């Protein structure tokens, strides 16, 4: 089963508890079921490092594409003439274009990895808060019921 489906089932079990019909034990079991689902795994920091590496590689590709573009327009040896020069220019321009396309893909990958890291970090923080809340609820379910307050003579009879 998926984590999401397990959590949805646990939520349904928690919502189905009748607090007035001895549901404290049922609630405790439902909370334990929710706590049994592992939190989101992964390292946002490691993902951000990978995004940074992609971004740095994209910058290098952009520079190489720019340099090759300059070579294609004015950097080929002047001794190359005719069809040889034309083919060389086309090949260098094609390579420059491929590097530009790769650079854009790397930039997009870096951006998506950054978004993933942010989303994962949010999910892990949310999970931590949820687990804390569920643990507090579970401890209340396990604690013996507190006795009713003592009768106060100033209360109406």
């Amino acid at each position: 089963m998926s984590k999401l489906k397990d959590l949805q089932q646990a939520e349904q079990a928690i919502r189905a508890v009748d607090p007035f019909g001895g549901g404290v034990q049922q609630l405790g079991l439902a909370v334990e079921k929710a706590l049994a689902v592992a939190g989101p795994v992964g390292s946002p920091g490691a993902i951000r490092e990978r995004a940074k590496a992609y971004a740095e590689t994209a910058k290098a590709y952009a520079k190489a594409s720019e340099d090759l573009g300059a070579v294609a327009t004015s950097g080929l040896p002047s001794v190359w003439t005719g069809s040889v020069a034309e083919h060389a220019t086309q090949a260098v321009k094609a390579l420059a274009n491929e590097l530009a396309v790769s650079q854009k893909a790397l930039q997009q990958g870096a951006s998506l990895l950054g978004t993933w890291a942010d989303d994962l970090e949010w999910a892990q923080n949310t999970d931590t808060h949820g687990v804390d809340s569920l643990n507090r609820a579970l401890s209340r379910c396990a604690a013996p019921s507190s006795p009713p307050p003592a009768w106060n003579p100033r209360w109406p009879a």
Side-chain angles (χ1 to χ4, degrees):
M1 256 193 199
S2 73
K3 289 181 184 184
L4 179 61
K5 193 166 211 142
D6 290 343
L7 285 172
Q8 288 171 336
Q9 288 177 351
E11 180 186 18
Q12 288 173 350
I14 289 169
R15 290 182 186 276
V17 171
D18 177 9
F20 301 108
V24 173
Q25 184 178 12
Q26 291 174 333
L27 180 60
L29 293 172
V31 168
E32 287 175 351
K33 186 175 182 179
L35 287 169
V37 179
V41 296
S43 170
I47 296 168
R48 284 189 185 95
E49 284 299 315
R50 183 59 55 98
K52 182 179 174 184
Y54 273 45
E56 289 172 4
T57 303
K59 287 179 186 176
Y61 273 50
K63 176 75 171 118
S65 176
E66 182 181 309
D67 291 348
L68 284 171
V71 167
T73 57
S74 63
L76 292 176
S78 60
V79 294
W80 291 4
T81 59
S83 65
V84 171
E86 188 177 319
H87 289 310
T89 299
Q90 289 174 354
V92 173
K93 280 183 179 179
L95 183 57
N97 288 338
E98 287 301 316
L99 284 171
V101 169
S102 297
Q103 180 257 341
K104 288 177 185 174
L106 286 164
Q107 278 182 321
Q108 186 177 22
S111 175
L112 292 171
L113 284 169
T115 300
W116 178 28
D118 292 344
D119 290 350
L120 178 59
E121 186 172 57
W122 174 86
Q124 289 173 335
N125 289 336
T126 301
D127 181 70
T128 298
H129 293 301
V131 166
D132 290 345
S133 295
L134 288 172
N135 278 324
R136 282 194 304 277
L138 186 60
S139 69
R140 289 181 181 154
C141 290
S145 299
S146 56
W151 183 77
N152 185 328
R154 294 188 306 196
W155 290 348

